[in-house]
Short mmCIF file of all heavy atoms in Angstrom, two decimals:
data_model
loop_
_atom_site.label_atom_id
_atom_site.label_comp_id
_atom_site.label_asym_id
_atom_site.label_seq_id
_atom_site.Cartn_x
_atom_site.Cartn_y
_atom_site.Cartn_z
N LEU Q 229 70.03 29.37 89.42
CA LEU Q 229 69.08 29.60 88.41
C LEU Q 229 69.52 28.71 87.13
O LEU Q 229 68.69 27.91 86.58
CB LEU Q 229 68.87 30.98 87.94
CG LEU Q 229 68.00 31.95 88.74
CD1 LEU Q 229 68.21 33.39 88.41
CD2 LEU Q 229 66.48 31.52 88.56
N ILE Q 230 70.69 28.81 86.74
CA ILE Q 230 71.33 28.08 85.61
C ILE Q 230 71.19 26.61 85.91
O ILE Q 230 70.82 25.90 85.00
CB ILE Q 230 72.70 28.62 85.29
CG1 ILE Q 230 72.70 30.04 84.79
CG2 ILE Q 230 73.37 27.64 84.35
CD1 ILE Q 230 74.01 30.71 84.76
N LYS Q 231 71.46 26.18 87.08
CA LYS Q 231 71.48 24.77 87.37
C LYS Q 231 69.98 24.19 87.56
O LYS Q 231 69.85 22.99 87.67
CB LYS Q 231 72.21 24.43 88.78
CG LYS Q 231 73.68 24.71 88.63
CD LYS Q 231 74.31 24.61 90.03
CE LYS Q 231 75.75 24.99 90.11
NZ LYS Q 231 76.62 24.00 89.46
N GLY Q 232 69.03 25.12 87.61
CA GLY Q 232 67.62 24.66 87.72
C GLY Q 232 67.23 24.38 89.13
O GLY Q 232 66.12 23.82 89.38
N TRP Q 233 67.96 24.80 90.15
CA TRP Q 233 67.61 24.54 91.52
C TRP Q 233 66.57 25.59 91.98
O TRP Q 233 65.85 25.35 92.95
CB TRP Q 233 68.83 24.65 92.41
CG TRP Q 233 69.78 23.63 92.06
CD1 TRP Q 233 69.74 22.49 91.33
CD2 TRP Q 233 71.20 23.62 92.53
NE1 TRP Q 233 70.94 21.79 91.31
CE2 TRP Q 233 71.84 22.49 91.97
CE3 TRP Q 233 71.96 24.46 93.36
CZ2 TRP Q 233 73.22 22.18 92.24
CZ3 TRP Q 233 73.32 24.21 93.63
CH2 TRP Q 233 73.92 22.97 93.12
N VAL Q 234 66.53 26.74 91.41
CA VAL Q 234 65.51 27.80 91.77
C VAL Q 234 65.01 28.40 90.44
O VAL Q 234 65.61 28.24 89.40
CB VAL Q 234 66.21 28.95 92.58
CG1 VAL Q 234 66.65 28.45 93.98
CG2 VAL Q 234 67.30 29.69 91.85
N VAL Q 235 63.90 29.01 90.55
CA VAL Q 235 63.26 29.86 89.47
C VAL Q 235 63.09 31.19 90.13
O VAL Q 235 63.03 31.36 91.32
CB VAL Q 235 61.88 29.22 89.00
CG1 VAL Q 235 62.19 28.00 88.30
CG2 VAL Q 235 60.95 29.04 90.05
N ALA Q 236 63.01 32.22 89.23
CA ALA Q 236 62.83 33.57 89.69
C ALA Q 236 61.68 34.25 88.97
O ALA Q 236 61.39 33.95 87.89
CB ALA Q 236 64.12 34.32 89.50
N GLU Q 237 61.08 35.21 89.65
CA GLU Q 237 59.96 35.94 89.20
C GLU Q 237 60.03 37.37 89.77
O GLU Q 237 60.32 37.47 90.99
CB GLU Q 237 58.64 35.24 89.60
CG GLU Q 237 57.42 35.87 89.07
CD GLU Q 237 56.20 35.02 89.45
OE1 GLU Q 237 56.21 33.77 89.03
OE2 GLU Q 237 55.32 35.63 90.13
N TRP Q 238 59.79 38.33 88.98
CA TRP Q 238 59.75 39.76 89.43
C TRP Q 238 58.45 40.05 90.15
O TRP Q 238 57.36 39.57 89.80
CB TRP Q 238 59.91 40.68 88.30
CG TRP Q 238 61.34 40.69 87.72
CD1 TRP Q 238 61.73 40.15 86.57
CD2 TRP Q 238 62.52 41.35 88.33
NE1 TRP Q 238 63.16 40.26 86.40
CE2 TRP Q 238 63.60 41.01 87.48
CE3 TRP Q 238 62.76 42.02 89.56
CZ2 TRP Q 238 64.87 41.45 87.80
CZ3 TRP Q 238 64.05 42.52 89.67
CH2 TRP Q 238 65.09 42.16 88.91
N GLY Q 239 58.62 40.72 91.25
CA GLY Q 239 57.45 41.15 92.08
C GLY Q 239 57.72 42.36 92.86
O GLY Q 239 58.79 43.02 92.61
N GLN Q 240 56.85 42.71 93.73
CA GLN Q 240 57.00 43.91 94.67
C GLN Q 240 57.45 43.40 96.03
O GLN Q 240 56.93 42.55 96.61
CB GLN Q 240 55.63 44.57 94.79
CG GLN Q 240 55.22 45.26 93.53
CD GLN Q 240 56.02 46.41 93.04
OE1 GLN Q 240 56.65 46.32 92.05
NE2 GLN Q 240 56.02 47.48 93.83
N SER Q 241 58.39 44.10 96.57
CA SER Q 241 58.94 43.91 97.89
C SER Q 241 58.04 44.49 98.91
O SER Q 241 57.12 45.21 98.51
CB SER Q 241 60.30 44.43 98.04
OG SER Q 241 60.27 45.79 98.11
N GLU Q 242 58.28 44.22 100.21
CA GLU Q 242 57.42 44.75 101.31
C GLU Q 242 57.54 46.28 101.29
O GLU Q 242 56.66 46.96 101.73
CB GLU Q 242 57.95 44.23 102.56
CG GLU Q 242 58.05 42.69 102.80
CD GLU Q 242 59.17 42.02 102.14
OE1 GLU Q 242 60.22 42.70 101.85
OE2 GLU Q 242 59.04 40.84 101.82
N LYS Q 243 58.67 46.89 100.76
CA LYS Q 243 58.80 48.31 100.69
C LYS Q 243 58.34 48.82 99.33
O LYS Q 243 58.72 49.93 98.90
CB LYS Q 243 60.19 48.64 101.00
CG LYS Q 243 60.61 48.33 102.37
CD LYS Q 243 61.98 48.80 102.69
CE LYS Q 243 62.33 48.49 104.12
NZ LYS Q 243 63.64 48.90 104.53
N ASN Q 244 57.61 48.10 98.63
CA ASN Q 244 56.98 48.46 97.35
C ASN Q 244 58.05 48.72 96.23
O ASN Q 244 57.85 49.60 95.35
CB ASN Q 244 56.01 49.73 97.48
CG ASN Q 244 54.82 49.50 96.70
OD1 ASN Q 244 54.45 48.42 96.21
ND2 ASN Q 244 54.06 50.66 96.50
N ARG Q 245 59.09 48.01 96.26
CA ARG Q 245 60.14 48.13 95.31
C ARG Q 245 60.09 46.81 94.42
O ARG Q 245 59.69 45.81 94.91
CB ARG Q 245 61.51 48.23 95.96
CG ARG Q 245 61.70 49.54 96.65
CD ARG Q 245 63.09 49.62 97.12
NE ARG Q 245 63.31 50.94 97.84
CZ ARG Q 245 64.19 51.21 98.72
NH1 ARG Q 245 65.07 50.29 99.11
NH2 ARG Q 245 64.29 52.35 99.24
N ARG Q 246 60.57 46.95 93.25
CA ARG Q 246 60.65 45.76 92.35
C ARG Q 246 61.74 44.90 92.85
O ARG Q 246 62.87 45.35 93.17
CB ARG Q 246 61.00 46.36 90.87
CG ARG Q 246 60.91 45.32 89.91
CD ARG Q 246 60.98 45.93 88.50
NE ARG Q 246 60.82 44.89 87.43
CZ ARG Q 246 61.74 44.64 86.55
NH1 ARG Q 246 62.86 45.35 86.52
NH2 ARG Q 246 61.55 43.69 85.68
N ALA Q 247 61.46 43.59 92.99
CA ALA Q 247 62.42 42.69 93.51
C ALA Q 247 62.25 41.38 92.80
O ALA Q 247 61.11 41.01 92.35
CB ALA Q 247 62.20 42.47 95.04
N ARG Q 248 63.25 40.60 92.68
CA ARG Q 248 63.26 39.25 92.09
C ARG Q 248 63.11 38.24 93.17
O ARG Q 248 63.88 38.23 94.08
CB ARG Q 248 64.60 39.07 91.29
CG ARG Q 248 64.47 37.98 90.29
CD ARG Q 248 65.76 38.03 89.33
NE ARG Q 248 65.62 37.05 88.29
CZ ARG Q 248 66.52 36.74 87.53
NH1 ARG Q 248 67.80 37.25 87.64
NH2 ARG Q 248 66.33 35.86 86.50
N TYR Q 249 61.97 37.51 93.05
CA TYR Q 249 61.69 36.53 94.12
C TYR Q 249 62.09 35.10 93.57
O TYR Q 249 61.83 34.69 92.48
CB TYR Q 249 60.17 36.47 94.39
CG TYR Q 249 59.78 37.60 95.34
CD1 TYR Q 249 59.67 38.87 94.83
CD2 TYR Q 249 59.66 37.29 96.67
CE1 TYR Q 249 59.29 39.92 95.72
CE2 TYR Q 249 59.29 38.37 97.59
CZ TYR Q 249 59.14 39.67 96.99
OH TYR Q 249 58.83 40.70 97.87
N TYR Q 250 62.80 34.43 94.46
CA TYR Q 250 63.40 33.11 94.08
C TYR Q 250 62.53 31.97 94.80
O TYR Q 250 62.12 32.22 95.96
CB TYR Q 250 64.80 33.01 94.49
CG TYR Q 250 65.75 34.02 93.81
CD1 TYR Q 250 65.90 35.27 94.32
CD2 TYR Q 250 66.28 33.71 92.60
CE1 TYR Q 250 66.65 36.27 93.70
CE2 TYR Q 250 67.10 34.63 91.98
CZ TYR Q 250 67.24 35.89 92.45
OH TYR Q 250 68.02 36.85 91.90
N SER Q 251 62.28 30.89 94.04
CA SER Q 251 61.57 29.82 94.60
C SER Q 251 62.31 28.54 94.27
O SER Q 251 62.99 28.35 93.25
CB SER Q 251 60.23 29.64 93.84
OG SER Q 251 59.43 30.83 94.13
N LEU Q 252 62.27 27.60 95.21
CA LEU Q 252 62.85 26.22 95.07
C LEU Q 252 62.09 25.41 94.06
O LEU Q 252 60.92 25.47 94.02
CB LEU Q 252 62.73 25.63 96.47
CG LEU Q 252 63.67 24.42 96.74
CD1 LEU Q 252 65.20 24.86 96.65
CD2 LEU Q 252 63.36 23.96 98.20
N THR Q 253 62.86 24.70 93.25
CA THR Q 253 62.34 23.74 92.26
C THR Q 253 62.45 22.33 92.88
O THR Q 253 63.21 22.11 93.91
CB THR Q 253 63.12 23.77 90.95
OG1 THR Q 253 64.41 23.36 91.17
CG2 THR Q 253 63.07 25.17 90.36
N PRO Q 254 61.79 21.34 92.30
CA PRO Q 254 62.00 19.95 92.78
C PRO Q 254 63.54 19.60 92.69
O PRO Q 254 64.03 18.90 93.55
CB PRO Q 254 61.18 19.09 91.79
CG PRO Q 254 60.04 20.04 91.41
CD PRO Q 254 60.70 21.39 91.29
N ALA Q 255 64.20 20.03 91.62
CA ALA Q 255 65.68 19.77 91.55
C ALA Q 255 66.40 20.48 92.73
O ALA Q 255 67.37 19.91 93.22
CB ALA Q 255 66.20 20.18 90.18
N GLY Q 256 65.98 21.58 93.05
CA GLY Q 256 66.52 22.31 94.21
C GLY Q 256 66.34 21.65 95.53
O GLY Q 256 67.26 21.57 96.38
N LEU Q 257 65.15 21.08 95.70
CA LEU Q 257 64.86 20.29 96.90
C LEU Q 257 65.75 19.06 96.96
O LEU Q 257 66.30 18.70 98.07
CB LEU Q 257 63.38 19.92 96.95
CG LEU Q 257 62.87 19.40 98.26
CD1 LEU Q 257 63.06 20.37 99.40
CD2 LEU Q 257 61.31 19.11 98.12
N LYS Q 258 65.93 18.35 95.88
CA LYS Q 258 66.84 17.27 95.81
C LYS Q 258 68.27 17.69 96.17
O LYS Q 258 69.00 17.03 96.83
CB LYS Q 258 66.71 16.55 94.44
CG LYS Q 258 67.52 15.30 94.33
CD LYS Q 258 67.28 14.71 92.85
CE LYS Q 258 68.19 13.50 92.73
NZ LYS Q 258 68.05 12.90 91.44
#
Side-chain angles (χ1 to χ4, degrees):
L229 279 166
I230 292 167
K231 292 173 185 284
W233 299 346
V234 297
V235 292
E237 184 176 301
W238 288 101
Q240 292 294 113
S241 72
E242 301 79 24
K243 295 185 179 181
N244 221 17
R245 292 186 178 158
R246 189 167 182 242
R248 199 168 188 192
Y249 281 79
Y250 298 88
S251 301
L252 197 58
T253 65
L257 192 57
K258 184 177 177 182

